[in-house]
Structures are given as structure tokens and as C-alpha cells.
Amino acid sequence: MPHRARNPLVADEAPKSAALTNYDKEHITIYLSLLDAEADGADWMEASVTVLHIDPIREPARAHKAWETHLSRAKWMAESGYRQLIRPLH
């Protein structure tokens, strides 16, 4: 079985596809952590450091874009994208 990284590197932007991607599958724990951080009231800069491992002081635009797009994708996964994980294959 292939080894999955515990904390996979994140892209500067999350996918925008209407379909579930391999990136989504590999980053589910990142998405869940961002949703947890938001529910806990964490500041975007804190979430960027602790979840995405991007320094918002050194790279503010990149950190904010990554946080914004990954959180948006996490919400999509929680609202509807998850269905593609459980849909039986034909």
C-alpha cells in the first residue's frame, strides 16, 4: 500500500473542480483541520501556520489565498463533495 504523507504539502490554491480530485482525497485531513480551526474561532493567520504550514508574515498574499481557497474547498467537501467519496463505483 502506498504511504500517505501525514501532513501533505498544500498548493497555493485548492481545486475548483465540481468533481472530487486526487488532491482532495490526499488533503481531507487538511480540510477537516481548517473546518475545526474555523469552528474554534481561529484567526486565518493562525490556521495558515498551524494547518497549511505557510508563514503569513513572510508570504501574506500566498498564505491568505491558500487559506481562503482550502477553507472554501473544505466547506464544499462538507456540504456536498463528500458524496463522491461514498458513491458506489459503476
Side-chain angles (χ1 to χ4, degrees), residues 10-17 21 23-24 27 30-31 34 52 62 65-74 76-77:
V10 296
D12 289 351
E13 292 186 42
K16 296 177 185 170
S17 173
T21 67
Y23 184 91
D24 293 321
H27 290 78
I30 298 291
Y31 295 156
L34 286 172
L52 303 176
R62 177 177 173 245
K65 186 69 167 183
W67 167 79
E68 180 180 56
T69 62
H70 282 81
L71 180 58
S72 176
R73 190 66 172 182
W76 172 81
M77 286 287 296

